[in-house]
Amino acid sequence: KELDKDTIYLEISTFMRYFEVDDKNFSDYAEWITAHKNIIIDIRNNGGGMMNFADEYLAEIVNRDIILYSKMNNKVLERMLTGRCKDEKNIIVLINKGCYSCSTYFSGNIKLNKIGTLIGEKTAGGGYNLGKPFVLPDYNVVNIPFYAHVTDSMGNDFEDGVEPDIVVEDKIDSEKDAVLEKAMEVLNNFVVQN
């Protein structure tokens, strides 16, 4: 939704892709990104999803190429993600301890590549893929991860979560949203400084 003429608020509750619905929503999302200079992305309580879908969101909000890292067989792999945004945006991402897996990956890449400011609580972690399912002799199934999403070229992973740049407790029972209020305050201060 539009918070003011310069600022949009996007809530991303999952990075799972539901093709029939998301193709239209995603093109609407890209148009909104172009039309606004301030973007607040709320991924609080996002349990994750598909890494390539998170990468699509990243590509829409950055105006430069960024490097994304993963680790497989103890080797750090890097790949380039090309930003599709035409101009630089003021980006704030709202996070909390309900962010897991792919939302932690998304947050980590925002922080590592200095794309925006993370506000809220440390994410829950879980930077490993679900892996390949193996059927055990007793017919139980286990998933063994075969790669990790990493935060840097040294191979450090997201398993312990991503720290916010600005810590704000996410109080669910409160009538006001202190995390969103802090995001608006940060944006207002940024505009005043420029």
Side-chain angles (χ1 to χ4, degrees):
K1 66 182 177 181
E2 191 172 62
L3 299 179
D4 61 41
K5 68 179 182 60
D6 295 324
T7 308
I8 57 169
Y9 170 87
L10 301 168
E11 183 177 0
I12 304 172
S13 59
T14 182
F15 286 109
M16 292 301 293
R17 178 110 188 202
Y18 304 104
F19 293 100
E20 302 81 31
V21 174
D22 289 335
D23 284 337
K24 169 134 181 31
N25 291 348
F26 200 80
S27 65
D28 292 345
Y29 164 83
E31 288 175 24
W32 273 51
I33 295 294
T34 303
H36 295 83
K37 67 179 180 179
N38 302 321
I39 306 165
I40 298 173
I41 301 173
D42 189 347
I43 59 170
R44 292 176 289 178
N45 300 313
N46 179 321
M50 296 172 14
M51 186 174 75
N52 59 334
F53 197 37
D55 290 349
E56 286 294 316
Y57 278 97
L58 282 171
E60 290 298 332
I61 63 174
V62 297
N63 68 339
R64 58 186 164 85
D65 294 344
I66 59 174
I67 297 175
L68 306 175
Y69 297 98
S70 60
K71 183 167 55 177
M72 188 180 300
N73 298 327
N74 291 321
K75 290 184 180 180
V76 176
L77 309 171
E78 66 177 54
R79 60 193 171 82
M80 188 71 68
L81 181 74
T82 300
R84 294 189 290 261
C85 190
K86 290 183 174 48
D87 48 312
E88 191 169 339
K89 305 291 182 181
N90 301 319
I91 298 168
I92 294 182
V93 179
L94 310 183
I95 59 174
N96 68 1
K97 56 191 166 200
C99 294
Y100 185 73
S101 189
C102 197
S103 59
T104 294
Y105 161 82
F106 182 84
S107 304
N109 279 302
I110 293 286
K111 190 168 191 162
L112 173 69
N113 289 287
K114 297 175 176 42
I115 295 167
T117 303
L118 302 178
I119 299 178
E121 300 171 319
K122 182 179 179 180
T123 67
Y128 291 91
N129 74 319
L130 290 177
K132 182 175 181 174
F134 290 93
V135 179
L136 300 175
D138 64 358
Y139 299 105
N140 283 314
V141 177
V142 295
N143 283 319
I144 299 175
F146 57 89
Y147 69 88
H149 314 303
V150 296
T151 59
D152 62 27
S153 61
M154 301 303 294
N156 299 313
D157 63 41
F158 293 130
E159 195 56 33
D160 292 331
V162 176
E163 292 284 349
D165 300 305
I166 300 171
V167 177
V168 178
E169 186 179 357
D170 191 13
K171 295 182 181 177
I172 297 171
D173 59 345
S174 177
E175 286 186 24
K176 67 179 197 169
D177 187 340
V179 181
L180 181 58
E181 286 181 5
K182 185 64 172 181
M184 291 302 292
E185 178 187 321
V186 168
L187 282 174
N188 289 334
N189 288 338
F190 184 78
V191 170
V192 169
Q193 291 173 4
N194 289 334

